[in-house]
Amino acid sequence: MPERRTVALVTLGCARNEVDSEELAGRLAADGWDLVEDAAEADVAVVNTCGFVEAAKKDSVDALLEANDLKDHGRTQAVVAVGCMAERYGKELAEALPEADGVLGFDDYADISDRLQTILSGGVHASHTPRDRRKLLPISPAERQGAGEAGKVALPGHAQDTPPADLPDGLAPASGPRAPLRRRLGSNPVASVKLASGCDRRCSFCAIPSFRGSFISRRPSDVLGETRWLAEQGVKEIMLVSENNTSYGKDLGDIRLLETLLPELAAVDGLERVRVSYLQPAEMRPGLIDVLTSTEKIAPYFDLSFQHSAPGVLRAMRRFGDTDRFLELLDQIRAKAPQAGARSNFIVGFPGETEEDVAELERFLAGARLDAIGVFGYSDEDGTEAATYDDKLDPEVVAERLERVSRLAEELTAQRAEERLGETMEVLVDRVDEEDGVLGRAAHQAPETDGQVMIRTDRTFAPGSMVVAKVVATEGVDLVAEPLGGEGCTEEARR
């Protein structure tokens, strides 16, 4: 019997990439590949790259080079780049990084097994020529579903092929011909579910739509089917991800489809929490706020993409809003759910940004009481409108503003954490280890980005447990809590 082929997937970047990696893993497992965690133990190391900003691209290149080093002293015979950076740069990346034995675009995902086998056998698969993926789908959102369903356009995380009838254990469900093949790559009690792909917004600083394409929703039945399967696999929390969740359903004829879908997801047996990420402030609506703040098992969590609050900067970014409107939105949310979590990212040093604009952003941050804040210094991105602007700031100015606003953000989020002293919250246990003890997250904390809750206890809790606890201390944005009563979320504990 021939030796089994082995493959390791190394994932960088956002939660959307994690879903794409598990789709690739599902396809490979269904075709007879053995999945291993350690790239040194794999015949092929597949690096799912990020192409968002310079720092992420550097991390992707470093990961590819590190995997290439394994060829000298490990089992690894080939290193292959996939993901956003590979899709965005294609041949250019292949020429600049000969250490990669293959650079595969999204169109290669459906045939990933054949592509890897060709490369592993010493063959060459030509790297693709990048193209603007926004042009692959109809301009009208209502006409896009047919193009995607017919398989004419590759939609990572939306696999459309019919799974084999005899899927190995651990692959996504045979709940219809449109169910994606997916294989979990870890045992974490939280998993992301892709709600849609692409983006129709034209923010002047962002290149994502050019290589991720126009916005296209997954059908509710697909999202529900995948969520049920994940719950059967032991997942307790799902996080809905896409480039813009507030647009979900617009290409299906119902812009309020998310409000209908969320209660159905919350009712899935075994699931304890549903979280929605990537919300556009300009597209928030009262009905969606109501569902997010009042539906049992739906986290009252608002990952709002503000980016800035000075009107002039926002207009140059091709975005909408201002400080007062954003603060009003947060007030509307907290009027319905005072303990609701809110986070956002911001860009400082954008072309044309003045000291007055920075002061306006600081005014917003001081009033917003956000639980988590990400601050990034502006840098040109290939192919974006902002890269053509003339009024660029000196790098030293951008660096100074980044440091200044980051320092303020750190102070404000620590203050916000202190405001939660005495709160009773439901904490989902993520992991337990000897050094750090019991670590989990409350409803206002998304995985990896928003801090954590350290549960101070002598009791034993397993990952995936939902623990009702009271906040007794803070460490920066992290909370320290003590459990109340027994494990679980009883009505008595909630009161």
Side-chain angles (χ1 to χ4, degrees), residues 414-472:
Q415 291 174 15
R416 175 61 180 143
E418 290 176 357
E419 290 179 20
R420 294 191 178 275
L421 284 169
E423 278 190 20
T424 297
M425 50 185 57
E426 298 172 358
V427 181
L428 179 68
V429 176
D430 281 332
R431 62 188 178 90
V432 180
D433 59 50
E434 293 183 3
E435 182 176 347
D436 298 321
V438 181
L439 300 176
R441 292 170 297 101
H444 71 279
Q445 296 168 317
E448 300 181 5
T449 60
D450 301 339
Q452 60 189 357
V453 179
M454 295 167 281
I455 300 179
R456 187 183 292 167
T457 180
D458 293 328
R459 294 161 54 193
T460 300
F461 294 107
S465 302
M466 188 69 85
V467 181
V468 177
K470 182 177 181 178
V471 180
V472 297

Side-chain angles (χ1 to χ4, degrees), residues 16 25 65 72 74 97 137 197 212 263 301 334 339 347 402 431 446 456 467 469:
R16 300 185 294 275
L65 293 174
D72 294 331
L97 198 69
L137 291 168
S197 285
R212 276 288 183 179
Y301 174 79
R334 288 172 176 140
Q339 295 183 344
I347 298 173
L402 174 61
R431 62 188 178 90
R456 187 183 292 167
V467 181

Side-chain angles (χ1 to χ4, degrees), residues 85-352:
M85 189 175 180
E87 172 64 35
R88 185 177 181 184
Y89 294 104
K91 291 181 178 179
E92 182 182 342
L93 176 62
E95 292 170 358
L97 198 69
E99 290 85 355
D101 299 287
V103 176
L104 305 181
F106 296 154
D107 294 330
D108 293 305
Y109 282 19
D111 300 307
I112 186 67
S113 179
D114 289 342
R115 300 289 187 264
L116 296 190
Q117 185 59 57
T118 295
I119 294 168
L120 184 59
S121 301
V124 176
H125 180 72
S127 302
H128 75 105
T129 300
R131 51 185 173 165
D132 189 337
R133 297 192 71 87
R134 290 172 293 191
K135 299 178 180 178
L136 302 182
L137 291 168
I139 294 176
S140 169
E143 297 176 5
R144 293 176 190 162
Q145 286 290 323
E149 288 173 13
K152 298 175 184 176
V153 178
L155 301 171
H158 296 230
Q160 304 295 341
D161 50 324
T162 303
D166 56 345
L167 284 177
D169 290 341
L171 291 188
S175 59
R178 304 181 70 259
L181 292 172
R182 180 172 179 175
R183 176 70 171 264
R184 292 212 73 202
L185 294 175
S187 58
N188 193 296
V190 61
S192 296
V193 174
K194 189 167 285 192
L195 197 60
S197 285
C199 186
D200 287 341
R201 303 185 72 86
R202 295 295 179 263
C203 301
S204 63
F205 56 84
C206 184
I208 289 176
S210 66
F211 57 86
R212 276 288 183 179
S214 298
F215 185 89
I216 185 165
S217 303
R218 293 180 69 198
R219 292 190 177 275
S221 57
D222 292 346
V223 178
L224 274 166
E226 189 170 341
T227 298
R228 291 189 183 105
W229 172 76
L230 287 167
E232 291 169 0
Q233 299 292 308
V235 169
K236 297 300 181 182
E237 175 181 328
I238 64 162
M239 184 166 70
L240 299 177
V241 299
S242 75
E243 280 71 24
N244 177 10
N245 282 331
T246 35
S247 283
Y248 179 68
K250 72 174 186 179
D251 52 324
L252 295 171
D254 185 0
I255 191 60
R256 294 176 176 79
L257 192 56
L258 185 56
E259 288 93 308
T260 303
L261 177 61
L262 284 172
E264 294 184 70
L265 293 171
V268 170
D269 287 343
L271 211 58
E272 295 288 349
R273 181 184 290 159
V274 177
R275 183 183 305 279
V276 184
S277 61
Y278 305 113
L279 301 170
Q280 285 290 340
E283 297 180 28
M284 289 300 295
R285 45 198 181 266
L288 181 55
I289 294 174
D290 286 343
V291 172
L292 288 170
T293 55
S294 64
T295 308
E296 186 177 2
K297 295 189 177 181
I298 301 295
Y301 174 79
F302 294 81
D303 176 11
L304 295 160
S305 178
F306 290 124
Q307 302 298 344
H308 212 285
S309 73
V313 175
L314 287 168
R315 301 306 173 268
M317 290 179 168
R318 304 298 182 204
R319 297 177 67 85
F320 305 93
D322 56 45
T323 295
D324 293 333
R325 274 189 262 185
F326 291 164
L327 290 175
E328 182 181 355
L329 172 60
L330 291 169
D331 286 343
Q332 291 172 3
I333 292 168
R334 288 172 176 140
K336 295 180 178 295
Q339 295 183 344
R343 77 164 328 274
S344 192
N345 293 325
F346 299 89
I347 298 173
V348 295
F350 193 79

Side-chain angles (χ1 to χ4, degrees), residues 12-14 17 47-65 81-90 92-93 97 205-208 210-211 379-384 387:
L12 294 94
C14 65
N17 255 16
V47 180
N48 191 350
T49 61
C50 179
F52 182 38
V53 293
E54 284 303 318
K57 287 184 277 190
K58 181 182 182 303
D59 288 344
S60 295
V61 170
D62 289 345
L64 287 164
L65 293 174
V82 299
C84 291
M85 189 175 180
E87 172 64 35
R88 185 177 181 184
Y89 294 104
E92 182 182 342
L93 176 62
L97 198 69
F205 56 84
C206 184
I208 289 176
S210 66
F211 57 86
S379 62
D380 286 337
E381 281 297 312
D382 299 333
T384 61

Side-chain angles (χ1 to χ4, degrees), residues 62-86:
D62 289 345
L64 287 164
L65 293 174
E66 182 178 340
N68 182 69
D69 289 342
L70 297 175
K71 290 191 286 189
D72 294 331
H73 48 78
R75 173 171 175 162
T76 310
Q77 301 173 52
V79 175
V80 176
V82 299
C84 291
M85 189 175 180

